[in-house]
Amino acid sequence: MFSLARLTCFIAVAEELHFGRAAERLHMTQPPLSRQIQQLESELGVQLIDRSSRSVALTAAGAAFLPDARRIVSLAESAALTVRRVPAGDLGTVAVGFTGASAHAVLPRLLEAARERIPDVKLVLREMVTSQQIEALTNGELDLGLIRPILPRPGISTRPIHHERLIAALPQQHPLASEEHLTVEDFDDQPVVMYSPVDARYFHELLISTFTIVGASPRYVQYVTQVHTMLVLVRSGLGMALVPASAETMKPEGVTFRQVTAVRDRPVQMNAAWRSDNSNPALHRMMKDVLPQREWI
Amino acid sequence: MFSLARLTCFIAVAEELHFGRAAERLHMTQPPLSRQIQQLESELGVQLIDRSSRSVALTAAGAAFLPDARRIVSLAESAALTVRRVPAGDLGTVAVGFTGASAHAVLPRLLEAARERIPDVKLVLREMVTSQQIEALTNGELDLGLIRPILPRPGISTRPIHHERLIAALPQQHPLASEEHLTVEDFDDQPVVMYSPVDARYFHELLISTFTIVGASPRYVQYVTQVHTMLVLVRSGLGMALVPASAETMKPEGVTFRQVTAVRDRPVQMNAAWRSDNSNPALHRMMKDVLPQREWI
DNA sequence: TTTCCTTACGCCTATCGTAAGCATA
DNA sequence: TATGCTTACGATAGGCGTAAGGAAA
């Protein structure tokens, strides 16, 4: 296979149509340039340049080859420039996992900040629950997870990026819907849609502790995994629920949201998580320049 | 600049993720392959492969570079294959000049035959009168001309490719239009549209000799250069004319064509012309495989 | 201890520059 | 005779293979 250097030689001769000037442009002497062309021709098995001692011209084959030669060389040059931008995290791909709820709470702002600060980093987005994200982070399918708090895990680093209030979601016709503010005590002995203790463990435990602190005992009528499922059930009149404040941005019809005076102000936490040994420069750039604050918003 | 060989090495390692197997695939031993990768990385200033004594993996930069590397190598390979087809005339470009009349007489068949026999040769078509074509052939702007016969010219080769009859073109309402056949004598003392002795010299002299042989003396009411102009004037009732038989395929409204019994059967000749020292292989392939007969239709 | 990537070393090929050759205007 | 591409030749750099080195399971 011919080398890129030979292509550069050919391009110079084809453009100058003069071996002497082409050699000068390439910072070499004429004789090795002549040989480079001869060797390129012999490698291709095709005469590219007609040189009759007093004139230099491209053959039909040379004219056909020139654009290809230019394309190959310029592609090589731009590939070299491109790859150099990767280690700085300027350019690359970050696979981001997110939970259904985080799609409303943090994803829009994350995407906007990324587009502004690292526009040439491509984000591949995949919706998964927290446990799936941990699995995907571990086996390298994800670079970054947007997850609920988990127990510390070796090899996985996390950082809180967002926390928000819990608010009450009630069926529009619910008696308490006329109140301006609710309290956690209002949930006592009420039908309530609850989070699954297995697949939405974080929310489940958060609500259990919230109710326990004030001694409220709701009647759990259903267990669900995702916030949007919960809103569907609330709308159908099954009961009331506690959801992250960002759920209000979903604007579900037939569901009324109310502030809840609670013990802790903004207990619902969202974390960023990544594999501690992840070497993707774009991920580190993102943690540094896109999620720089300890609490992001 | 890195060499194509290094790219091939990188691609093999990136695909095998194992230096030993990659070296085997490249028909070389591991050590030089390791060095090739090291040198590629040092030329790019970027680490492409993470090799930790027991595992080989692409870095983010390596993953980003791999598609570019593949594209460069495959482009180089296909360019090499392509250029080899040029000298046989299988692939290339032929600039073809044609006169307005030849567009009807021979161009369609020429194009069809070329498309069938040398489909990868691109034909660049330019309509010019014979004298312009000779000029363009001489200075290399044209490879092939479709021209009327000319005086022999050093450096220009010609070959007859087509000859056809002269037929009469008359205004629809002309008294002679009711005749089945005309003779040249019918043109005697008639208003006739004539070819320019300068810009359509071949036709002019052909008609002069045609009339002279039978002693006919038409009244020349106008001199024109191109056949289609002539038909426009005939249609307007200015007079009758003698035109190549292929003019009938133009199907001009208001013009009637009639056979003419003439001394010579098919006197209107079309030649191919090319520069004797033209080295365009596609031209020679075309003369050999597309216009092979001495008289082409 | 085995696997497998890297370093060290000697050999060979390739490319360079200088100098001489040779064809054309 | 001058210009300009090609051939000849010696020096240098780069690549390959063999052999030894070193880290991880």
Side-chain angles (χ1 to χ4, degrees):
Chain A
M1 177 62 58
F2 50 83
S3 75
L4 291 176
R6 288 210 220 289
L7 291 188
T8 310
C9 289
F10 168 66
I11 292 168
V13 174
E15 285 175 355
E16 299 287 346
L17 291 179
H18 186 287
F19 278 71
R21 283 194 297 275
E24 195 175 345
R25 185 168 124 185
L26 295 165
H27 306 295
M28 64 195 292
T29 55
Q30 296 95 326
L33 178 57
S34 281
R35 281 194 305 268
Q36 288 284 12
I37 300 296
Q38 288 165 11
Q39 282 161 2
L40 178 58
E41 288 176 330
S42 111
E43 280 165 340
L44 291 172
V46 171
Q47 191 179 350
L48 299 174
I49 292 175
D50 244 334
R51 36 219 195 273
S52 45
S53 183
R54 208 63 179 178
S55 78
V56 174
L58 287 177
T59 63
F65 189 61
L66 181 58
D68 282 336
R70 284 206 186 96
R71 200 170 317 138
I72 292 165
V73 169
S74 88
L75 196 56
E77 285 169 354
S78 78
L81 291 178
T82 299
V83 74
R84 283 185 248 272
R85 295 183 56 202
V86 175
D90 263 352
L91 187 142
T93 301
V94 177
V96 179
F98 65 98
T99 62
S102 67
H104 298 87
V106 301
L107 205 53
R109 272 168 296 189
L110 176 70
L111 296 181
E112 191 186 348
R115 191 162 46 84
E116 185 184 316
R117 301 185 198 174
I118 44 173
D120 292 335
V121 171
K122 188 179 167 190
L123 300 185
V124 177
L125 300 172
R126 297 179 55 188
E127 180 175 344
M128 314 183 194
V129 299
T130 294
S131 58
Q132 289 173 319
Q133 289 190 50
I134 299 298
E135 168 78 19
L137 286 171
T138 304
N139 66 30
E141 285 171 32
L142 279 189
D143 291 303
L144 176 67
L146 302 178
I147 64 170
R148 296 301 169 190
I150 54 168
L151 294 173
R153 234 181 120 101
I156 299 289
S157 304
T158 65
R159 180 204 289 176
I161 54 168
H162 182 72
H163 54 196
E164 58 185 318
R165 286 203 306 277
L166 281 170
I167 59 175
L170 308 92
Q172 212 162 32
Q173 68 281 13
H174 195 281
L176 290 169
S178 53
E179 303 284 325
E180 184 94 8
H181 287 272
L182 302 188
T183 64
V184 177
E185 286 87 342
D186 288 330
F187 283 73
D188 187 48
D189 203 33
Q190 289 287 329
V192 162
V193 186
M194 185 54 169
Y195 295 92
S196 158
V198 178
D199 296 324
R201 184 173 155 185
Y202 170 69
F203 273 110
H204 182 87
E205 293 179 355
L206 179 62
L207 262 62
I208 292 291
S209 79
T210 301
F211 292 134
T212 303
I213 287 172
V214 300
S217 293
R219 286 184 280 120
Y220 300 132
V221 294
Q222 188 63 262
Y223 293 89
V224 303
T225 301
Q226 292 191 283
V227 172
H228 83 263
T229 317
M230 184 162 276
L231 295 176
V232 170
L233 298 184
V234 167
R235 180 188 179 186
S236 73
L238 210 64
M240 51 200 296
L242 280 174
V243 296
S246 58
E248 199 166 358
T249 64
M250 294 186 196
K251 298 193 196 306
E253 235 180 299
V255 178
T256 303
F257 294 97
R258 287 290 175 263
Q259 302 285 348
V260 176
T261 310
V263 178
R264 281 186 290 158
D265 181 32
R266 296 196 295 162
V268 185
Q269 189 173 317
M270 172 70 59
N271 285 357
W274 63 98
R275 225 171 84 163
S276 314
D277 65 351
N278 188 312
S279 64
N280 186 340
L283 169 65
H284 294 117
R285 177 69 184 281
M286 191 155 163
M287 296 310 295
K288 178 170 153 289
D289 289 347
V290 178
L291 298 173
Q293 301 84 359
R294 200 181 131 65
E295 285 276 328
W296 190 63
I297 267 293
Chain B
M1 176 62 58
F2 51 82
S3 75
L4 291 176
R6 287 210 219 289
L7 291 187
T8 309
C9 289
F10 168 68
I11 292 169
V13 174
E15 286 175 355
E16 300 285 346
L17 292 177
H18 186 288
F19 279 71
R21 283 194 297 276
E24 195 175 345
R25 187 170 122 184
L26 295 165
H27 306 296
M28 64 194 294
T29 57
Q30 295 94 327
L33 178 57
S34 280
R35 282 194 306 267
Q36 289 284 12
I37 300 296
Q38 287 165 12
Q39 283 162 3
L40 178 58
E41 288 177 330
S42 111
E43 281 165 341
L44 291 173
V46 170
Q47 191 180 350
L48 299 174
I49 292 176
D50 243 334
R51 36 216 195 274
S52 46
S53 183
R54 209 61 181 177
S55 78
V56 175
L58 287 178
T59 64
F65 190 61
L66 181 57
D68 281 337
R70 285 206 185 95
R71 201 170 318 135
I72 292 164
V73 170
S74 87
L75 196 57
E77 285 170 353
S78 78
L81 290 178
T82 299
V83 73
R84 282 186 247 273
R85 294 182 56 202
V86 174
D90 263 351
L91 188 141
T93 302
V94 177
V96 180
F98 65 98
T99 61
S102 68
H104 299 87
V106 301
L107 205 54
R109 271 169 297 190
L110 176 70
L111 295 181
E112 190 186 350
R115 190 163 46 84
E116 184 184 318
R117 300 184 200 175
I118 44 175
D120 292 336
V121 171
K122 188 178 166 192
L123 300 185
V124 177
L125 299 172
R126 298 180 55 188
E127 180 174 344
M128 314 181 193
V129 300
T130 294
S131 59
Q132 289 172 318
Q133 289 190 51
I134 298 299
E135 168 77 19
L137 286 171
T138 303
N139 65 28
E141 285 171 32
L142 278 189
D143 292 302
L144 176 66
L146 302 178
I147 63 170
R148 295 300 169 191
I150 55 167
L151 294 173
R153 235 181 119 100
I156 299 289
S157 304
T158 65
R159 180 205 288 177
I161 53 167
H162 182 70
H163 54 197
E164 57 185 316
R165 286 203 305 275
L166 281 171
I167 59 175
L170 307 94
Q172 213 162 31
Q173 68 281 13
H174 195 282
L176 289 169
S178 52
E179 302 283 326
E180 184 95 8
H181 287 272
L182 302 189
T183 64
V184 178
E185 286 88 342
D186 288 330
F187 283 73
D188 188 48
D189 204 33
Q190 290 287 330
V192 162
V193 185
M194 185 53 168
Y195 295 93
S196 157
V198 178
D199 296 322
R201 183 173 156 187
Y202 170 71
F203 274 110
H204 181 88
E205 293 180 354
L206 179 61
L207 263 60
I208 291 291
S209 79
T210 301
F211 292 135
T212 304
I213 287 171
V214 300
S217 294
R219 285 182 283 120
Y220 300 133
V221 293
Q222 188 64 261
Y223 292 89
V224 302
T225 301
Q226 292 191 285
V227 171
H228 83 261
T229 317
M230 184 162 275
L231 295 177
V232 170
L233 299 185
V234 167
R235 180 188 178 185
S236 73
L238 209 65
M240 51 201 293
L242 278 175
V243 296
S246 59
E248 199 166 358
T249 65
M250 294 186 197
K251 297 193 197 307
E253 235 181 300
V255 177
T256 303
F257 294 97
R258 288 290 175 263
Q259 302 286 348
V260 176
T261 311
V263 177
R264 280 187 291 157
D265 181 32
R266 296 195 295 163
V268 185
Q269 190 173 315
M270 171 68 61
N271 285 358
W274 62 97
R275 223 171 85 164
S276 313
D277 64 354
N278 188 311
S279 65
N280 185 339
L283 170 65
H284 294 118
R285 177 69 183 282
M286 192 156 161
M287 296 310 295
K288 179 171 152 289
D289 289 346
V290 178
L291 298 173
Q293 302 85 358
R294 200 179 131 63
E295 285 277 327
W296 191 63
I297 268 294

